[in-house]
Amino acid sequence: MPLSNNQKGDALDFQQKLLERLHRGDMEALGCLYDMHVDHLMEFGLHYVTEVSWVEDQVHDLFLDLFRARHKALQIQNLKAYLSTSLKRRLFKRNKSKELLIEEDSFKRLLHNDSNHIENSSENKWIDEEQLEYLKLALKTAMDSLTNHQQNALHLRFVENKSYGEIAERMEVSKASARTLLYRSLKILREKVQLLLL
């Protein structure tokens, strides 16, 4: 249900009070602002970059920067727009030099063993059959090192194509917990695969 004008006004007033507290160095206010905006920022960031854990890292760093520059907090007129613009700038700046090892599409293909699609796609022509098999082995080894909980979350997301809400329901956790579990699982998986490919 959309917010009424009064509710929107109350939300903006509350946010302004949080910015005032942030300006004074209140970490709890920063946490509240993070909770208010993290879902929007994650969805926004994933329109530009497909690596979930990396977007999550950039969102976290964005709020750390917000705290470091808290002396300017009261100058922000529209926090949502400010954060979105800042995140977009960060993503485009960092993405120029960052190689994304596991994107959601290629991750799904690897899990489904769709090797023909990977070998023939224009984005992955450099992967020959031997490299592909090695990548699959690295991915399997990395997956085996995850906890059952982490493996289950990844299976639901990438094999069964479940939404965060559906994953939360199946795993009997909150939607936020399901999202965090997936972010962390993907981050661990990416790091382990990168180490195995060194």
Side-chain angles (χ1 to χ4, degrees):
M1 176 183 289
L3 294 175
S4 68
N5 288 335
N6 284 341
Q7 288 173 318
K8 287 179 181 177
D10 291 343
L12 289 174
D13 287 344
F14 179 62
Q15 183 170 272
Q16 186 59 36
K17 288 176 182 175
L18 288 174
L19 284 172
E20 290 169 4
R21 287 170 54 191
L22 175 65
H23 183 259
R24 297 193 296 268
D26 187 336
M27 284 293 290
E28 187 179 347
L30 181 70
C32 289
L33 290 169
Y34 176 89
D35 289 341
M36 289 172 68
H37 292 280
V38 64
D39 287 343
H40 160 73
L41 290 171
M42 285 302 304
E43 290 178 14
F44 179 82
L46 288 170
H47 283 296
Y48 299 100
V49 177
T50 57
E51 190 182 18
V52 179
S53 60
W54 191 56
V55 176
E56 183 189 40
D57 289 342
Q58 298 309 309
V59 171
H60 288 171
D61 289 346
L62 177 62
F63 278 89
L64 288 176
D65 287 348
L66 181 64
F67 187 75
R68 291 188 191 106
R70 59 188 178 277
H71 59 283
K72 299 179 181 178
L74 298 182
Q75 299 172 21
I76 300 173
Q77 300 298 315
N78 184 330
L79 184 60
K80 183 176 180 180
Y82 171 84
L83 291 171
S84 298
T85 302
S86 299
L87 178 61
K88 185 176 179 181
R89 190 178 301 120
R90 291 179 72 91
L91 293 174
F92 278 93
K93 181 180 177 183
R94 307 287 169 108
N95 201 32
K96 288 178 183 176
S97 60
K98 174 118 177 130
E99 293 183 6
L100 302 179
L101 179 62
I102 301 178
E103 297 181 353
E104 285 206 0
D105 287 343
S106 59
F107 185 54
K108 287 178 184 176
R109 291 174 197 141
L110 284 170
L111 288 179
H112 287 290
N113 294 315
D114 191 1
S115 58
N116 289 331
H117 187 97
I118 292 178
E119 290 171 358
N120 294 331
S121 75
S122 59
E123 297 172 350
N124 299 285
K125 285 182 179 177
W126 60 273
I127 301 180
D128 62 20
E129 187 174 343
E130 185 177 336
Q131 289 172 317
L132 179 64
E133 289 306 313
Y134 187 62
L135 180 57
K136 284 182 181 179
L137 179 62
L139 180 61
K140 183 181 185 307
T141 302
M143 283 288 288
D144 289 344
S145 72
L146 297 178
T147 66
N148 289 337
H149 204 52
Q150 291 168 330
Q151 289 182 33
N152 189 28
L154 289 171
H155 180 86
L156 290 170
R157 177 66 173 160
F158 294 104
V159 179
E160 297 188 25
N161 294 315
K162 299 296 184 185
S163 67
Y164 292 129
E166 291 170 325
I167 293 169
E169 187 175 336
R170 285 275 291 273
M171 300 188 75
E172 298 182 344
V173 297
S174 69
K175 187 175 177 180
S177 295
R179 186 183 294 109
T180 299
L181 175 63
L182 279 162
Y183 295 160
R184 290 176 181 167
S185 300
L186 271 175
K187 184 175 182 181
I188 293 168
L189 188 65
R190 173 172 53 84
E191 290 170 352
K192 288 182 180 294
V193 170
Q194 286 176 330
L195 284 174
L196 289 166
L197 293 176
L198 288 177

